[in-house]
Amino acid sequence: MSYAYLFKYIIIGDTGVGKSCLLLQFTDKRFQPVHDLTIGVEFGARMITIDGKQIKLQIWDTAGQEAFRSITRSYYRGAAGALLVYDITRRDTFNHLTTWLEDARQHSNSNMVIMLIGNKSDLESRREVKKEEGEAFAREHGLIFMETSAKTAANVEEAFINTAKEIYEKIQEGVFDINNEANGIKIGPQHSPTNTSLPLSGSGSSQGGGCC
Amino acid sequence: MSREEQRVKSNETNAQQFWKQQQPDTSAITAKFPGRVMKQNSIASTVAVQKNDSRSKTVEHRRNNSTSFELFTASCDDAWDSKLDDCVASDCVQHTVRRSSSASRCRTNGKEGKAKASVSLSSSPSSKQCELRTTSAKSSIVTSADCDPKLSKFKKLLFEDDVCDLNQLRSMAWAGIHAEVRPLAWKLLLGYLPVIRSKRQQTLERKRTEYQHLVLQYYNNRSTNDEMWRQIHIDIPRMQPLISIFQQEVVQKIFERILYIWSIRHPASGYVQGMNDLVTPFFVTYLSEFIPGHSLMDVESFAVSSLPDDTLRGVEADSFWSFSKLLDSIQDNYTFAQPGIQKLVNLLARVMKRADATLHEHLTRHGVQYLQFSFRWMNNLLIRELPLRCIVRLWDTYLAEGAVTTTSLPTPSSAPSNNSSSVQQKSSFISVSENSVWNMGNGTPFACSFHLFVCAAFLRFWSKTLLREKDFQGLMLLLQNLPTFHWGDTEIKLLVADAYQLKYTFTPNHLLS
């Protein structure tokens, strides 16, 4: 299927915060109450539409355990977006955000868009982290923020799509070098320029780039 | 396309046909060993393997026109049926050559146990690929017609012989162990129990008591906010959600204790996710001893709490020690940065480059890296990729491949010399690799190198299916959800035979160049 852009994402965060469930909800629109442990990385993909353009999302869901960090780190490179997930019912997963953020910033390209996600918002009665705390952390570190529930699907679409919108805007602003695949962005086959690289002129890619 | 759709699609295509191409390099193989393609008039030197998805169909057609699949299975038939007679047969061959009197001393192989095997030859051509062997008393156990002769041999080895001949046990176990005798066979192959029959009960009791002490010392004394304990405690309920036995609280407690005690005593690696999966084959196998029929399918839904506490404690302790034996042999898979796994993944790529260049090139061209899909194959020893019953069967072969032969095996004076000649023959085969990186896990309960070749065989099993995927996404989605849910012994037999062939075809010299 043709697409205007391909964005690569990575999902990170402590083990058991619901990373795989978020991905499953987003790609398959279903919730699996018990999800087996993610070993290393798992891959998922889905097409979305932004500004009338088809955007393909390729998502690496990573294992949260420290032991796998040396493997999962290599996936930061080449990601345009990251979902940094914590569990609103477990304070420690929120406390570890700084470490995750440092790790992400250190190993990713500087333009990577990071969305902070407080997951399990359906478990209000067990909440340990206030929404305001998440918002404050996001503000302080320049992240986008949302609370989601992989179980009820609340805000799951939005989390992935808003991240894509942010990346898309950065492309429009010319922040991303879209010709460097290491940034986690690829122009779709029908849209890529045939010869030289396009100047970063807004929605240049939408014109079809002159090829088939 | 969603993951689910992708899965459905791949299942459909898969159901249509499982094709497998195999081009055995017969020239590289000069001596007799299981899995080897035999030279036979009716078998072309290059055998195209056609794997029929429907097992019943295979059986149905067996007596009709031969397919290349049948030819293949027939050709490597000795991998699972006559291996038990390897020692005897090879000795006979050697004797024969020495004495130049083959006909008078050897008779043709009667092909014991062939009738039951789904991969058997159906008629007289078997005599063409017959083996020579002596009329050794050892190989002529009298059994009733309705009794499985191989099972009888297992029983004799395990329950009657004063000293279990571990080499013979390995030879037989390679082709699969009967559920009924598997628990004890595994314990011997692992080196957990001694080969001397009279000492086994005593050892078992000692090890079980020892384990109870470990529970008291480590588990019962753990600190309430122990990080490792907390992690294991969170992880265990998430384990294998589709198998009901693992959702039972009593089972989860057993796993928590086993994993916690092992991890606390191995700080170099500690607990790494996936280790929990490695306990499962031991646990279900040892549990099956107490379940009527010993069926693994029944074990998966068995109400464990119905068993007496004492029985469960025994199963737990045995699982712990067996798991320890396994992990001791592969601990660098779980130490910092998981060097063992990184090495295996790199070797897998090298093997595949030679074993299936088309597929390797296809994966590379679409940007698929081996680490992306095979990390889990190594970290969890394929447990996530295959049904548990298949893993148990696969581990019969793993244990046979790597079982300790040097420890707990007093050289039995009664052991016939033919066993050692077989071993010598084998070791001359692998001598090239003896001192290389290749030799990982040899002499340990699990030969990692064999797992590597099983992974390679597994990957190329899907070659045709994967070649139909035309982009990175399709490939990745398929690779992490390979449709093996219907797999059984037949597929595992093919897998290990192919792995065996790979192991002996691809020496380090080929690969390191």
Side-chain angles (χ1 to χ4, degrees), chain B residues 474-500:
Chain B
L475 284 167
M476 273 312 299
L477 290 173
L478 179 58
L479 280 165
Q480 62 188 12
N481 289 297
L482 290 165
T484 60
F485 52 88
H486 66 284
W487 272 36
D489 280 5
T490 314
E491 286 77 13
I492 299 301
K493 282 175 177 175
L494 277 173
L495 194 66
V496 295
D498 196 27
Y500 196 95

PDB file of all heavy atoms in Angstrom, chain B residues 474-500:
ATOM      1  N   GLY B 474       6.042  -7.250   6.417  1.00  0.00           N
ATOM      2  CA  GLY B 474       5.486  -8.589   6.262  1.00  0.00           C
ATOM      3  C   GLY B 474       6.411  -9.642   6.839  1.00  0.00           C
ATOM      4  O   GLY B 474       5.970 -10.583   7.506  1.00  0.00           O
ATOM      5  N   LEU B 475       7.679  -9.468   6.600  1.00  0.00           N
ATOM      6  CA  LEU B 475       8.660 -10.428   7.098  1.00  0.00           C
ATOM      7  C   LEU B 475       8.708 -10.431   8.620  1.00  0.00           C
ATOM      8  O   LEU B 475       8.667 -11.489   9.251  1.00  0.00           O
ATOM      9  CB  LEU B 475      10.049 -10.100   6.532  1.00  0.00           C
ATOM     10  CG  LEU B 475      10.286 -10.500   5.075  1.00  0.00           C
ATOM     11  CD1 LEU B 475      11.551  -9.844   4.536  1.00  0.00           C
ATOM     12  CD2 LEU B 475      10.387 -12.015   4.952  1.00  0.00           C
ATOM     13  N   MET B 476       8.787  -9.259   9.201  1.00  0.00           N
ATOM     14  CA  MET B 476       8.893  -9.183  10.654  1.00  0.00           C
ATOM     15  C   MET B 476       7.651  -9.748  11.341  1.00  0.00           C
ATOM     16  O   MET B 476       7.735 -10.481  12.321  1.00  0.00           O
ATOM     17  CB  MET B 476       9.106  -7.727  11.110  1.00  0.00           C
ATOM     18  CG  MET B 476      10.539  -7.274  11.152  1.00  0.00           C
ATOM     19  SD  MET B 476      11.678  -8.398  11.992  1.00  0.00           S
ATOM     20  CE  MET B 476      10.996  -8.429  13.644  1.00  0.00           C
ATOM     21  N   LEU B 477       6.484  -9.372  10.812  1.00  0.00           N
ATOM     22  CA  LEU B 477       5.249  -9.850  11.436  1.00  0.00           C
ATOM     23  C   LEU B 477       5.161 -11.371  11.360  1.00  0.00           C
ATOM     24  O   LEU B 477       4.729 -12.025  12.305  1.00  0.00           O
ATOM     25  CB  LEU B 477       4.027  -9.195  10.781  1.00  0.00           C
ATOM     26  CG  LEU B 477       3.875  -7.696  11.078  1.00  0.00           C
ATOM     27  CD1 LEU B 477       2.751  -7.085  10.260  1.00  0.00           C
ATOM     28  CD2 LEU B 477       3.630  -7.445  12.567  1.00  0.00           C
ATOM     29  N   LEU B 478       5.588 -11.920  10.240  1.00  0.00           N
ATOM     30  CA  LEU B 478       5.560 -13.370  10.105  1.00  0.00           C
ATOM     31  C   LEU B 478       6.600 -14.025  11.026  1.00  0.00           C
ATOM     32  O   LEU B 478       6.295 -14.980  11.735  1.00  0.00           O
ATOM     33  CB  LEU B 478       5.806 -13.756   8.644  1.00  0.00           C
ATOM     34  CG  LEU B 478       5.842 -15.254   8.333  1.00  0.00           C
ATOM     35  CD1 LEU B 478       4.537 -15.931   8.738  1.00  0.00           C
ATOM     36  CD2 LEU B 478       6.098 -15.490   6.845  1.00  0.00           C
ATOM     37  N   LEU B 479       7.791 -13.470  11.012  1.00  0.00           N
ATOM     38  CA  LEU B 479       8.871 -14.074  11.795  1.00  0.00           C
ATOM     39  C   LEU B 479       8.578 -14.111  13.291  1.00  0.00           C
ATOM     40  O   LEU B 479       9.027 -14.998  13.998  1.00  0.00           O
ATOM     41  CB  LEU B 479      10.178 -13.312  11.549  1.00  0.00           C
ATOM     42  CG  LEU B 479      10.914 -13.672  10.258  1.00  0.00           C
ATOM     43  CD1 LEU B 479      11.972 -12.625   9.933  1.00  0.00           C
ATOM     44  CD2 LEU B 479      11.553 -15.047  10.365  1.00  0.00           C
ATOM     45  N   GLN B 480       7.835 -13.144  13.778  1.00  0.00           N
ATOM     46  CA  GLN B 480       7.566 -13.186  15.211  1.00  0.00           C
ATOM     47  C   GLN B 480       6.254 -13.905  15.547  1.00  0.00           C
ATOM     48  O   GLN B 480       5.891 -14.034  16.708  1.00  0.00           O
ATOM     49  CB  GLN B 480       7.620 -11.786  15.829  1.00  0.00           C
ATOM     50  CG  GLN B 480       6.606 -10.827  15.298  1.00  0.00           C
ATOM     51  CD  GLN B 480       6.848  -9.408  15.800  1.00  0.00           C
ATOM     52  OE1 GLN B 480       7.885  -9.093  16.371  1.00  0.00           O
ATOM     53  NE2 GLN B 480       5.872  -8.550  15.614  1.00  0.00           N
ATOM     54  N   ASN B 481       5.570 -14.375  14.519  1.00  0.00           N
ATOM     55  CA  ASN B 481       4.359 -15.169  14.752  1.00  0.00           C
ATOM     56  C   ASN B 481       4.310 -16.365  13.811  1.00  0.00           C
ATOM     57  O   ASN B 481       3.306 -16.589  13.141  1.00  0.00           O
ATOM     58  CB  ASN B 481       3.106 -14.320  14.515  1.00  0.00           C
ATOM     59  CG  ASN B 481       2.905 -13.302  15.585  1.00  0.00           C
ATOM     60  OD1 ASN B 481       2.715 -13.627  16.750  1.00  0.00           O
ATOM     61  ND2 ASN B 481       2.956 -12.034  15.209  1.00  0.00           N
ATOM     62  N   LEU B 482       5.353 -17.120  13.741  1.00  0.00           N
ATOM     63  CA  LEU B 482       5.362 -18.253  12.817  1.00  0.00           C
ATOM     64  C   LEU B 482       4.292 -19.267  13.232  1.00  0.00           C
ATOM     65  O   LEU B 482       4.194 -19.618  14.407  1.00  0.00           O
ATOM     66  CB  LEU B 482       6.748 -18.897  12.795  1.00  0.00           C
ATOM     67  CG  LEU B 482       7.817 -18.030  12.120  1.00  0.00           C
ATOM     68  CD1 LEU B 482       9.216 -18.528  12.429  1.00  0.00           C
ATOM     69  CD2 LEU B 482       7.598 -17.962  10.613  1.00  0.00           C
ATOM     70  N   PRO B 483       3.456 -19.659  12.279  1.00  0.00           N
ATOM     71  CA  PRO B 483       2.302 -20.500  12.637  1.00  0.00           C
ATOM     72  C   PRO B 483       2.683 -21.948  12.922  1.00  0.00           C
ATOM     73  O   PRO B 483       2.644 -22.801  12.045  1.00  0.00           O
ATOM     74  CB  PRO B 483       1.401 -20.397  11.397  1.00  0.00           C
ATOM     75  CG  PRO B 483       2.313 -20.046  10.280  1.00  0.00           C
ATOM     76  CD  PRO B 483       3.494 -19.323  10.853  1.00  0.00           C
ATOM     77  N   THR B 484       3.014 -22.225  14.152  1.00  0.00           N
ATOM     78  CA  THR B 484       3.435 -23.577  14.535  1.00  0.00           C
ATOM     79  C   THR B 484       2.433 -24.239  15.472  1.00  0.00           C
ATOM     80  O   THR B 484       2.720 -25.298  16.020  1.00  0.00           O
ATOM     81  CB  THR B 484       4.782 -23.522  15.282  1.00  0.00           C
ATOM     82  OG1 THR B 484       4.602 -22.727  16.456  1.00  0.00           O
ATOM     83  CG2 THR B 484       5.882 -22.921  14.450  1.00  0.00           C
ATOM     84  N   PHE B 485       1.286 -23.579  15.655  1.00  0.00           N
ATOM     85  CA  PHE B 485       0.350 -24.069  16.669  1.00  0.00           C
ATOM     86  C   PHE B 485      -0.118 -25.498  16.448  1.00  0.00           C
ATOM     87  O   PHE B 485      -0.467 -26.201  17.380  1.00  0.00           O
ATOM     88  CB  PHE B 485      -0.866 -23.129  16.773  1.00  0.00           C
ATOM     89  CG  PHE B 485      -1.509 -22.859  15.449  1.00  0.00           C
ATOM     90  CD1 PHE B 485      -2.492 -23.692  14.961  1.00  0.00           C
ATOM     91  CD2 PHE B 485      -1.118 -21.773  14.671  1.00  0.00           C
ATOM     92  CE1 PHE B 485      -3.076 -23.460  13.720  1.00  0.00           C
ATOM     93  CE2 PHE B 485      -1.685 -21.532  13.430  1.00  0.00           C
ATOM     94  CZ  PHE B 485      -2.670 -22.378  12.950  1.00  0.00           C
ATOM     95  N   HIS B 486      -0.093 -25.951  15.193  1.00  0.00           N
ATOM     96  CA  HIS B 486      -0.560 -27.305  14.902  1.00  0.00           C
ATOM     97  C   HIS B 486       0.600 -28.303  14.890  1.00  0.00           C
ATOM     98  O   HIS B 486       0.411 -29.466  14.568  1.00  0.00           O
ATOM     99  CB  HIS B 486      -1.239 -27.324  13.533  1.00  0.00           C
ATOM    100  CG  HIS B 486      -0.268 -27.044  12.417  1.00  0.00           C
ATOM    101  ND1 HIS B 486       0.202 -25.774  12.161  1.00  0.00           N
ATOM    102  CD2 HIS B 486       0.361 -27.866  11.547  1.00  0.00           C
ATOM    103  CE1 HIS B 486       1.077 -25.841  11.158  1.00  0.00           C
ATOM    104  NE2 HIS B 486       1.196 -27.098  10.778  1.00  0.00           N
ATOM    105  N   TRP B 487       1.780 -27.855  15.200  1.00  0.00           N
ATOM    106  CA  TRP B 487       2.965 -28.727  15.099  1.00  0.00           C
ATOM    107  C   TRP B 487       2.908 -29.887  16.075  1.00  0.00           C
ATOM    108  O   TRP B 487       2.348 -29.777  17.162  1.00  0.00           O
ATOM    109  CB  TRP B 487       4.239 -27.915  15.365  1.00  0.00           C
ATOM    110  CG  TRP B 487       4.798 -27.275  14.138  1.00  0.00           C
ATOM    111  CD1 TRP B 487       4.084 -26.752  13.095  1.00  0.00           C
ATOM    112  CD2 TRP B 487       6.181 -27.072  13.829  1.00  0.00           C
ATOM    113  NE1 TRP B 487       4.954 -26.242  12.157  1.00  0.00           N
ATOM    114  CE2 TRP B 487       6.235 -26.423  12.573  1.00  0.00           C
ATOM    115  CE3 TRP B 487       7.370 -27.374  14.486  1.00  0.00           C
ATOM    116  CZ2 TRP B 487       7.435 -26.069  11.969  1.00  0.00           C
ATOM    117  CZ3 TRP B 487       8.564 -27.016  13.892  1.00  0.00           C
ATOM    118  CH2 TRP B 487       8.593 -26.374  12.638  1.00  0.00           C
ATOM    119  N   GLY B 488       3.521 -30.967  15.650  1.00  0.00           N
ATOM    120  CA  GLY B 488       3.610 -32.144  16.509  1.00  0.00           C
ATOM    121  C   GLY B 488       4.960 -32.816  16.312  1.00  0.00           C
ATOM    122  O   GLY B 488       5.895 -32.207  15.773  1.00  0.00           O
ATOM    123  N   ASP B 489       5.035 -34.060  16.691  1.00  0.00           N
ATOM    124  CA  ASP B 489       6.292 -34.810  16.613  1.00  0.00           C
ATOM    125  C   ASP B 489       6.875 -34.856  15.194  1.00  0.00           C
ATOM    126  O   ASP B 489       8.085 -34.811  15.008  1.00  0.00           O
ATOM    127  CB  ASP B 489       6.080 -36.255  17.096  1.00  0.00           C
ATOM    128  CG  ASP B 489       6.076 -36.326  18.616  1.00  0.00           C
ATOM    129  OD1 ASP B 489       6.146 -35.249  19.255  1.00  0.00           O
ATOM    130  OD2 ASP B 489       6.001 -37.443  19.150  1.00  0.00           O
ATOM    131  N   THR B 490       5.971 -34.962  14.228  1.00  0.00           N
ATOM    132  CA  THR B 490       6.440 -35.081  12.842  1.00  0.00           C
ATOM    133  C   THR B 490       7.319 -33.898  12.459  1.00  0.00           C
ATOM    134  O   THR B 490       8.387 -34.063  11.868  1.00  0.00           O
ATOM    135  CB  THR B 490       5.224 -35.140  11.881  1.00  0.00           C
ATOM    136  OG1 THR B 490       4.281 -36.055  12.424  1.00  0.00           O
ATOM    137  CG2 THR B 490       5.639 -35.575  10.510  1.00  0.00           C
ATOM    138  N   GLU B 491       6.855 -32.707  12.795  1.00  0.00           N
ATOM    139  CA  GLU B 491       7.607 -31.511  12.432  1.00  0.00           C
ATOM    140  C   GLU B 491       8.921 -31.437  13.212  1.00  0.00           C
ATOM    141  O   GLU B 491       9.945 -31.015  12.681  1.00  0.00           O
ATOM    142  CB  GLU B 491       6.771 -30.255  12.696  1.00  0.00           C
ATOM    143  CG  GLU B 491       5.640 -30.016  11.696  1.00  0.00           C
ATOM    144  CD  GLU B 491       4.434 -30.899  11.935  1.00  0.00           C
ATOM    145  OE1 GLU B 491       4.357 -31.530  13.016  1.00  0.00           O
ATOM    146  OE2 GLU B 491       3.566 -30.978  11.045  1.00  0.00           O
ATOM    147  N   ILE B 492       8.866 -31.858  14.471  1.00  0.00           N
ATOM    148  CA  ILE B 492      10.095 -31.810  15.271  1.00  0.00           C
ATOM    149  C   ILE B 492      11.119 -32.806  14.726  1.00  0.00           C
ATOM    150  O   ILE B 492      12.314 -32.529  14.698  1.00  0.00           O
ATOM    151  CB  ILE B 492       9.797 -32.079  16.764  1.00  0.00           C
ATOM    152  CG1 ILE B 492       8.833 -31.011  17.308  1.00  0.00           C
ATOM    153  CG2 ILE B 492      11.073 -32.075  17.591  1.00  0.00           C
ATOM    154  CD1 ILE B 492       9.332 -29.588  17.204  1.00  0.00           C
ATOM    155  N   LYS B 493      10.633 -33.935  14.281  1.00  0.00           N
ATOM    156  CA  LYS B 493      11.552 -34.913  13.696  1.00  0.00           C
ATOM    157  C   LYS B 493      12.266 -34.332  12.484  1.00  0.00           C
ATOM    158  O   LYS B 493      13.475 -34.494  12.311  1.00  0.00           O
ATOM    159  CB  LYS B 493      10.796 -36.183  13.285  1.00  0.00           C
ATOM    160  CG  LYS B 493      10.480 -37.082  14.465  1.00  0.00           C
ATOM    161  CD  LYS B 493       9.627 -38.262  14.023  1.00  0.00           C
ATOM    162  CE  LYS B 493       9.370 -39.196  15.194  1.00  0.00           C
ATOM    163  NZ  LYS B 493       8.461 -40.289  14.823  1.00  0.00           N
ATOM    164  N   LEU B 494      11.499 -33.660  11.640  1.00  0.00           N
ATOM    165  CA  LEU B 494      12.103 -33.021  10.472  1.00  0.00           C
ATOM    166  C   LEU B 494      13.116 -31.971  10.895  1.00  0.00           C
ATOM    167  O   LEU B 494      14.206 -31.863  10.335  1.00  0.00           O
ATOM    168  CB  LEU B 494      11.012 -32.335   9.636  1.00  0.00           C
ATOM    169  CG  LEU B 494      10.239 -33.188   8.658  1.00  0.00           C
ATOM    170  CD1 LEU B 494       9.103 -32.388   8.052  1.00  0.00           C
ATOM    171  CD2 LEU B 494      11.172 -33.672   7.553  1.00  0.00           C
ATOM    172  N   LEU B 495      12.712 -31.217  11.894  1.00  0.00           N
ATOM    173  CA  LEU B 495      13.544 -30.113  12.361  1.00  0.00           C
ATOM    174  C   LEU B 495      14.891 -30.612  12.881  1.00  0.00           C
ATOM    175  O   LEU B 495      15.945 -30.103  12.498  1.00  0.00           O
ATOM    176  CB  LEU B 495      12.785 -29.372  13.467  1.00  0.00           C
ATOM    177  CG  LEU B 495      13.292 -28.005  13.893  1.00  0.00           C
ATOM    178  CD1 LEU B 495      13.148 -27.011  12.752  1.00  0.00           C
ATOM    179  CD2 LEU B 495      12.502 -27.505  15.103  1.00  0.00           C
ATOM    180  N   VAL B 496      14.857 -31.612  13.741  1.00  0.00           N
ATOM    181  CA  VAL B 496      16.114 -32.070  14.332  1.00  0.00           C
ATOM    182  C   VAL B 496      16.970 -32.820  13.305  1.00  0.00           C
ATOM    183  O   VAL B 496      18.197 -32.756  13.364  1.00  0.00           O
ATOM    184  CB  VAL B 496      15.898 -32.921  15.613  1.00  0.00           C
ATOM    185  CG1 VAL B 496      15.289 -32.076  16.714  1.00  0.00           C
ATOM    186  CG2 VAL B 496      15.069 -34.155  15.359  1.00  0.00           C
ATOM    187  N   ALA B 497      16.311 -33.486  12.371  1.00  0.00           N
ATOM    188  CA  ALA B 497      17.093 -34.166  11.332  1.00  0.00           C
ATOM    189  C   ALA B 497      17.828 -33.139  10.478  1.00  0.00           C
ATOM    190  O   ALA B 497      19.005 -33.304  10.144  1.00  0.00           O
ATOM    191  CB  ALA B 497      16.179 -35.018  10.462  1.00  0.00           C
ATOM    192  N   ASP B 498      17.120 -32.079  10.157  1.00  0.00           N
ATOM    193  CA  ASP B 498      17.746 -31.023   9.364  1.00  0.00           C
ATOM    194  C   ASP B 498      18.858 -30.338  10.158  1.00  0.00           C
ATOM    195  O   ASP B 498      19.928 -30.048   9.625  1.00  0.00           O
ATOM    196  CB  ASP B 498      16.676 -30.008   8.936  1.00  0.00           C
ATOM    197  CG  ASP B 498      17.161 -29.111   7.819  1.00  0.00           C
ATOM    198  OD1 ASP B 498      18.041 -29.543   7.042  1.00  0.00           O
ATOM    199  OD2 ASP B 498      16.692 -27.963   7.722  1.00  0.00           O
ATOM    200  N   ALA B 499      18.589 -30.109  11.432  1.00  0.00           N
ATOM    201  CA  ALA B 499      19.596 -29.478  12.286  1.00  0.00           C
ATOM    202  C   ALA B 499      20.841 -30.350  12.379  1.00  0.00           C
ATOM    203  O   ALA B 499      21.971 -29.859  12.333  1.00  0.00           O
ATOM    204  CB  ALA B 499      19.021 -29.232  13.683  1.00  0.00           C
ATOM    205  N   TYR B 500      20.611 -31.625  12.473  1.00  0.00           N
ATOM    206  CA  TYR B 500      21.732 -32.568  12.564  1.00  0.00           C
ATOM    207  C   TYR B 500      22.587 -32.492  11.300  1.00  0.00           C
ATOM    208  O   TYR B 500      23.818 -32.449  11.355  1.00  0.00           O
ATOM    209  CB  TYR B 500      21.195 -33.986  12.754  1.00  0.00           C
ATOM    210  CG  TYR B 500      22.241 -34.964  13.228  1.00  0.00           C
ATOM    211  CD1 TYR B 500      22.377 -35.221  14.583  1.00  0.00           C
ATOM    212  CD2 TYR B 500      23.088 -35.608  12.339  1.00  0.00           C
ATOM    213  CE1 TYR B 500      23.341 -36.113  15.036  1.00  0.00           C
ATOM    214  CE2 TYR B 500      24.052 -36.491  12.783  1.00  0.00           C
ATOM    215  CZ  TYR B 500      24.169 -36.745  14.134  1.00  0.00           C
ATOM    216  OH  TYR B 500      25.120 -37.611  14.586  1.00  0.00           O
TER     217      TYR B 500
END
